[in-house]
Amino acid sequence: MLNLFAHPKRIFFVLFVCFIAFSVWIYTIPLFSPSQYSEKELHLVAEGRLVWQKYNCHTCHQLYGLGGYLGPDLTNVYSRSGNNEHYIRGIVKSGVKQMPAFEISEEEMNALLQFLKNVDQSGSSNPQDYQPEILGTFSLEKK
């Protein structure tokens, strides 16, 4: 009787085929799973990320604890009590303390708000709860 796993080349081939099949399966899951966002909303989120980058928001603000340290972390700014759309619009358009007022179009503002809403819904982050490390990263152990 011929043993399938008797030769190293056969073992490699079987493992390789299993790896390829698993990889294809993992990467196609998002294609077939329903999204909670419409195509228009996903496009707006992508545009908002570009607005975030265009105005260099990441140099002063953080998302998930990554970014600049001059401004607050904006991961959950959309859902914080009192921080609704009108509040965020007012801060961006008029500026506060070290943050300048931005001349931003209504389309850019809507895209930025959709991006911040999407980030807010994707998780939570409060870097002040974690211990900063000497290299600028954070320990996962809470203070």
Side-chain angles (χ1 to χ4, degrees):
M1 182 161 145
L2 182 66
N3 188 353
L4 180 64
F5 297 107
H7 301 289
K9 288 182 181 179
R10 288 185 184 159
I11 293 172
F12 174 78
F13 180 74
V14 168
L15 290 176
F16 181 74
V17 168
C18 290
F19 171 76
I20 295 297
F22 180 74
S23 296
V24 168
W25 177 65
I26 288 294
Y27 285 106
T28 57
I29 287 175
L31 297 176
F32 300 108
S33 60
S35 175
Q36 63 183 6
Y37 299 105
S38 68
E39 271 307 307
K40 183 179 177 184
E41 289 173 323
L42 289 174
H43 179 71
L44 206 54
V45 168
E47 290 295 321
R49 181 182 55 82
L50 294 176
V51 171
W52 174 268
Q53 292 172 342
K54 175 183 176 182
Y55 290 100
N56 293 317
C57 300
H58 61 280
T59 58
C60 296
H61 296 284
Q62 301 172 11
L63 291 178
Y64 301 109
L66 300 172
Y69 294 101
L70 186 60
D73 185 285
L74 299 181
T75 305
N76 301 114
V77 70
Y78 205 90
S79 65
R80 286 187 207 138
S81 60
N83 292 349
N84 56 29
E85 257 185 53
H86 301 292
Y87 175 82
I88 297 169
R89 282 179 189 273
I91 295 294
V92 171
K93 290 202 176 203
S94 64
V96 291
K97 296 182 186 177
Q98 297 100 340
M99 182 174 161
F102 287 95
E103 296 292 327
I104 186 170
S105 71
E106 193 63 30
E107 293 82 23
E108 288 178 326
M109 179 61 78
N110 291 336
L112 182 62
L113 288 170
Q114 188 68 30
F115 171 70
L116 290 173
K117 184 178 183 181
N118 181 268
V119 168
D120 188 279
Q121 292 174 349
S122 68
S124 63
S125 171
N126 188 3
Q128 295 169 342
D129 289 346
Y130 298 96
Q131 181 67 34
E133 299 291 329
I134 190 117
L135 297 175
T137 60
F138 289 91
S139 166
L140 295 179
E141 298 176 17
K142 292 194 175 195
K143 291 181 182 177

